[in-house]
Amino acid sequence: ISASISSWAISATLTSSVDRTSLSIDETLRLSITLSDTSTKRSPNLDLLNTDFDVLSSNQSSMVRTYNGRVATSTEWTITLGPKKTGTLVIPSFNVDGIISDALEIKVSASKPLVHGQQKDISIETIINKDSVYVQEQLTLTHRLMFDASINVDQLDAEPVELDNAVIEKLPDAKYQKNINGKTFYVFEYSYAIFPQSSGEILIPSLRWNLRIAKSSRRSLFSNMGNYEVRRQRTDEKNITVRPKPVIFPADKPWLPAEGMRIQENWSQDPTSFKLGEPLTRTIIVQANGLTSSQLPKFTNEPNTADIKFYADQPVLKDEQREGGVVSQRIESAAIVAAKTGDLTIPGEEIPWWNTKTDRLEFLHIEPRIISVTGSANNVDQTAQNSQNLQNTNTVITNQ
């Protein structure tokens, strides 16, 4: 057995080679590792590459050859690598069952500067709508990918946008064409609404994007076939200052930093003419630009008394992701039953919110309403039954 192992070790070789030894930080190289004349099932440890490189893809293939009646086998691993930094990087030695490959040095330079007026064939721009926001205020982030129309990008692999202590909502993508110096470029915009949950500083990190370029001009965008090369891009990092809630905002009220808010009151019938014991439904709709529906609190206070009873439905919550951010709604409905004739008062509400466009405190108002209740003693006996029916049949609406 020892002789067999020794004989195999002498004949087997493990070699590493690359298609280039000099490249810029936004380019890739291809590493080939070949193990010849062996039947071992082991593989080189590719995790050793993670110190200096991102492993973008990996493929294994085997070959069997017959020479002078002898069968020779070999295994090849082909790995696409992207450098993590500039300078002299090392592809380490690999060891497979005692067979060792040579280490390789790779020279990585910074991205080449453009000639004045020249446009990159592929570029990514990172755009934020503001560099300072209040806690829980909406910040919009857009990554704009632009590439020459002659380039066949058939796959995009982008690191996800992930932030600690922030809520992230995906916004609709945009796709269009742009003419630059007589050349057509495709533009893809990927946007997000970000809601920081604590004051201080927040860092939107630089993210790695890998674009697979089909070499055949007959490939359609985002198909998965054909020979290709990988082009690497990185988004810019952005620092955001997150300010605390202003001290002038009422401390006992929910904090609502929005670009715009409005309120609407609807009634199922004319609210000026109540009939004793008969329910009317009041619906309050609050819409906010730049807030999610989960940020919208209960707006109405229903003080049940001996004279007026409120029977509230479950609120309806809606979110719409638009090009410029999130638009949300909270819909509160309640059946109101008067148990006494005469003039009664339904109290109003004052709702503070912070206008992030004008940077000032504003208020929404539900005005108090005086209702005139008419009816006779015959309606009084029916009031209790109507109240019980409303408690039993209130609609439960699923949040949307």
Side-chain angles (χ1 to χ4, degrees), residues 254-280:
W255 166 237
L256 297 172
E259 296 175 6
M261 292 192 72
R262 63 183 180 88
I263 193 166
Q264 178 180 341
E265 182 184 42
N266 297 327
W267 289 84
S268 59
Q269 298 178 42
D270 181 4
T272 61
S273 300
F274 265 70
K275 289 186 178 181
L276 187 67
E278 295 186 4
L280 267 68

Side-chain angles (χ1 to χ4, degrees), residues 173-186:
D173 298 335
K175 301 178 182 180
Y176 55 94
Q177 296 183 24
K178 184 175 183 179
N179 187 284
I180 301 177
N181 297 328
K183 296 182 68 175
T184 299
F185 285 78
Y186 291 129

Side-chain angles (χ1 to χ4, degrees), residues 131-384:
D131 54 17
S132 176
V133 295
Y134 286 105
V135 61
Q136 298 179 355
E137 178 188 348
Q138 175 181 265
L139 167 77
T140 59
L141 165 69
T142 298
H143 288 141
R144 179 181 293 157
L145 169 66
M146 186 163 59
F147 56 91
D148 192 309
S150 64
I151 297 175
N152 257 333
V153 178
D154 74 352
Q155 183 171 300
L156 170 63
D157 176 21
E159 287 185 302
V161 177
E162 296 178 344
L163 297 172
D164 293 333
N165 207 19
V167 174
I168 302 175
E169 292 279 341
K170 184 69 179 72
L171 300 179
D173 298 335
K175 301 178 182 180
Y176 55 94
Q177 296 183 24
K178 184 175 183 179
N179 187 284
I180 301 177
N181 297 328
K183 296 182 68 175
T184 299
F185 285 78
Y186 291 129
V187 183
F188 290 71
E189 293 185 353
Y190 304 90
S191 298
Y192 307 83
I194 299 173
F195 300 86
Q197 298 300 294
S198 61
S199 58
E201 298 291 326
I202 186 171
L203 174 67
I204 299 175
S206 173
L207 302 176
R208 185 189 70 240
W209 287 32
N210 298 318
L211 287 79
R212 198 171 79 170
I213 311 299
K215 292 183 178 180
S216 169
S217 62
R218 301 184 65 180
R219 301 294 181 219
S220 61
L221 186 65
F222 299 127
S223 70
N224 291 311
M225 302 174 62
N227 295 326
Y228 64 90
E229 64 173 314
V230 177
R231 297 278 293 275
R232 307 175 72 234
Q233 300 287 310
R234 294 201 74 92
T235 64
D236 294 330
E237 68 176 32
K238 297 289 184 179
N239 282 290
I240 310 298
T241 300
V242 184
R243 295 174 286 173
K245 179 176 68 174
V247 294
I248 66 171
F249 194 87
D252 60 341
K253 297 295 184 180
W255 166 237
L256 297 172
E259 296 175 6
M261 292 192 72
R262 63 183 180 88
I263 193 166
Q264 178 180 341
E265 182 184 42
N266 297 327
W267 289 84
S268 59
Q269 298 178 42
D270 181 4
T272 61
S273 300
F274 265 70
K275 289 186 178 181
L276 187 67
E278 295 186 4
L280 267 68
T281 299
R282 181 183 71 170
T283 301
I284 302 295
I285 303 172
V286 176
Q287 179 172 300
N289 293 357
L291 292 175
T292 64
S293 61
S294 63
Q295 293 174 273
L296 302 179
K298 180 177 174 59
F299 291 108
T300 54
N301 179 30
E302 293 113 358
N304 286 306
T305 67
D307 298 336
I308 302 178
K309 298 292 184 182
F310 294 81
Y311 301 91
D313 288 338
Q314 291 291 325
V316 177
L317 305 180
K318 296 182 178 180
D319 288 297
E320 183 181 355
Q321 288 75 29
R322 299 181 181 177
E323 181 180 350
V326 177
V327 177
S328 62
Q329 277 190 349
R330 182 182 175 99
I331 304 172
E332 297 179 5
S333 295
I336 303 175
V337 179
K340 178 183 176 181
T341 59
D343 291 340
L344 303 177
T345 300
I346 298 176
E349 305 282 349
E350 184 177 73
I351 305 162
W353 66 285
W354 193 265
N355 190 325
T356 58
K357 285 188 173 181
T358 61
D359 202 23
R360 58 183 291 183
L361 177 64
E362 297 190 14
F363 294 88
L364 298 176
H365 292 94
I366 302 173
E367 298 299 332
R369 185 178 293 275
I370 297 176
I371 61 174
S372 296
V373 183
T374 60
S376 64
N378 293 333
N379 298 107
V380 176
D381 294 336
Q382 189 64 30
T383 301

Side-chain angles (χ1 to χ4, degrees), residues 67-80:
Y67 179 73
N68 289 337
R70 298 181 59 186
V71 176
T73 63
S74 64
T75 303
E76 183 177 53
W77 294 267
T78 304
I79 305 103
T80 301

